[in-house]
Structure formats: C-alpha cells, structure tokens
Amino acid sequence: MSTGLAEAPEVPGWTRVYSGKVRELYVPTVPEDGDGDGDPQLTPERHVLVVATDRISAYDHVLATPIPDKGRVLTQLSLWWFEQLDDVENHVVSTEVPDEVAGRAMICRNLTMFPIECIARGYLTGTGLAEYRRSGTVCGLPLPAGLTDGSRLETPLYTPSAKAEVGEHDENITFEQTVDLVGPDVADRLRELTLRVYGRAERIARERGIILADTKVEFGLDVHDGTITLADEVLTPDSSRFWDASGWEPGLAQPSFDKQFVRDWLTSPASGWDRASDAPPPPLPDDVVAATRDRYVEAYERLTGRSF
Ligand code: ATP
Ligand code: MG
C-alpha cells in the first residue's frame, strides 16, 4: 500500500504559512502580473492555496499513520458539495493547482476566519447525546424526553463551538456566546447559513441513501468585499457524520462512513492505548488503514455518483 502524504510538500510559486491538523495553507510567493492570459491574478492578500494532506486526526491527536488518498477524497468531495450548494457564497477561486498537489488542493479566497465551528445536527449522537443525557439539552437548547443515540431531531439544531487552540478540545458554546464573539448580525447570519447548508445537504444525501447526522462548517470574511463566505472543507467524512440510511436504527451504533471506525479501534483493547493518558495514539495497523480508506472512498462515490 502507498504511504500517503503526511508532510507539507514544497509547492513552486507558493510559500507555506500555516499547518493545521490535516491541511497546509500557502500564499503566492511573488504576486504575478495580470498578463492577459485569463489566469486570475494571484496575490498573498487575496489568495490562499488550501492543500489537504492524508493526515487523520482523532481525539485531538494527529495520528502517526496517514490514510492514502484521503486528501484527494476530501478535496474532490468538498468541490462537489460547493457546486451543489450554489446558493451559498464559497471560497473556491480555481482548481488549477501545481502538479505537486494535483487533486488535493484548491486556490481559495484568503479570508479572515470567524473563530466559530458552525455545527448543525439533525440527529442526536456524540457530544450532543452526552449533554442530553446529563441535562436534557444540547448546547443549552432543551429537547423532548425519550431520545436515544441516533434519534432524529424534530428540527435541526445549530450547536456552535469555539475553535480551540492546538491540542485543546473545541468547546460547545451558546448562541449568545457567538454574539459576544462576532456581533449579533454575523452570529445570526452564521446560524442561518449553517442550517441552510445542512438542510440542503441532508436532502441530497438522503436521496443517495445516506443520512447526514451532523456537520461542521467554517466561514470567513472576505475583507475586500465584506462577503461572509463558506470556507475550509465541506460535508466530508472528517467534518460530518454520514450513516447508511438502510442500517439506521436509533439506540444502536450506526454503520457510518466517517472516522468512527478509527475512533472505535483506538479505544478498543486491540490498540493498547489509554485515551486518558498523555501518550500519543499508536500507529494504525494496515487493515484499519485500508478499511478507513475504503470508507472515505465509498462516501465520495455514493454521494457524488462518480468513481474515485
Ligand atoms: P486549526 O489548526 O485552525 O485549529 P485544524 O487543525 O482543523 O484547525 P486544518 O483544517 O488542518 O486545521 O487547516 C485548515 C485551516 O485553514 C483552518 O484553520 C481553517 O480555518 C483555515 N481556512 C480554511 N479556509 C480558509 C480560507 N479560505 N482562508 C483562510 N483560512 C482558511
Ligand atoms: Mg479543520
């Protein structure tokens, strides 16, 4: 099996400015002249190259083992979704990227990101379920009694979280706290756009036999024209929970196309890892890597109807 791209590649014409858990960001090294050949003029103020590596993170750790092709799946799936979500302004400028990062990168508008992870949930699970079991609420919003793991919610909820520093947990916050962070107008708009993205995507996924249980999106401000813009990756197995609709049964663990498989292995006796310790997670065995790659590819193929 090929090893996958874990480290930031050198990209001619671009200078690396940021390394996230999964993505590497670059800006144009030298502003190019508009030379009349139809290329958009690239500048470090306005443009950023977003490169998805094959790294995978779980439980706030970047794992030592990359998942081959994951970066290309994330990028191609995001681009497909941006096209479907044609009523929401997004950050994509061009997919004509240098060969070194072909298929795994996109040239985007360089935005000032809002410090909020915008999450929409149509089903109860994960940290939402944990809070519900403690207090009957999710992000402070009261829910009816009797819900269980995987229950469908009457109406999708907007459950924002604050972007954490590297190595820290993102923290669920209330809508009022988002108002404190970005002001009332932007806070309203982020909620409205997030629920719009979720509503549309949930319908599209459902037509393809996939339940979009929840998803996280990020927005940024284009300071040059004031547009609140959908950024980062969208509706990928990293940012979303995808369940197989035919196997959905509230109360049970749902068959999923996301990295739940990796999380389950890490917390199983087979991994020998203690999540509560400071130790980094162990490398993934080949069969876990292969099964995870298959799930990412299957999510891409089922959603887009294309073969990877
Ligand atoms: P972080 O490192 O910010 O805590 P992360 O580990 O999830 O988050 P990645 O997803 O690997 O980071 O990297 C992507 C980074 O690029 C994120 O910080 C995201 O907010 C930022 N980003 C995405 N799109 C844009 C854009 N168009 N302009 C500027 N920044 C962007
Ligand atoms: Mg991210």
Side-chain angles (χ1 to χ4, degrees), residues 18 20-23 25 91 109 111 113 163 218 231-232:
Y18 183 79
K21 288 194 281 291
V22 172
R23 270 161 284 278
L25 303 190
H91 68 160
R109 294 202 244 172
L111 304 171
M113 300 300 289
K163 284 200 77 165
E218 295 184 25
D232 209 50

Side-chain angles (χ1 to χ4, degrees), residues 2 8 11 23 40 44 46 72 107 138 199 220 226-227 230 244 276 280-281:
S2 72
V11 187
R23 270 161 284 278
R46 285 178 184 258
R72 288 198 300 134
I107 298 172
V138 173
T227 316
L230 180 59
D244 190 345

Side-chain angles (χ1 to χ4, degrees), residues 33-57:
D33 285 328
D35 53 7
D37 66 358
D39 285 347
Q41 188 178 335
L42 300 176
T43 73
E45 292 74 35
R46 285 178 184 258
H47 298 101
V48 60
L49 180 73
V50 179
V51 177
T53 69
D54 292 335
R55 296 192 293 264
I56 186 167
S57 71

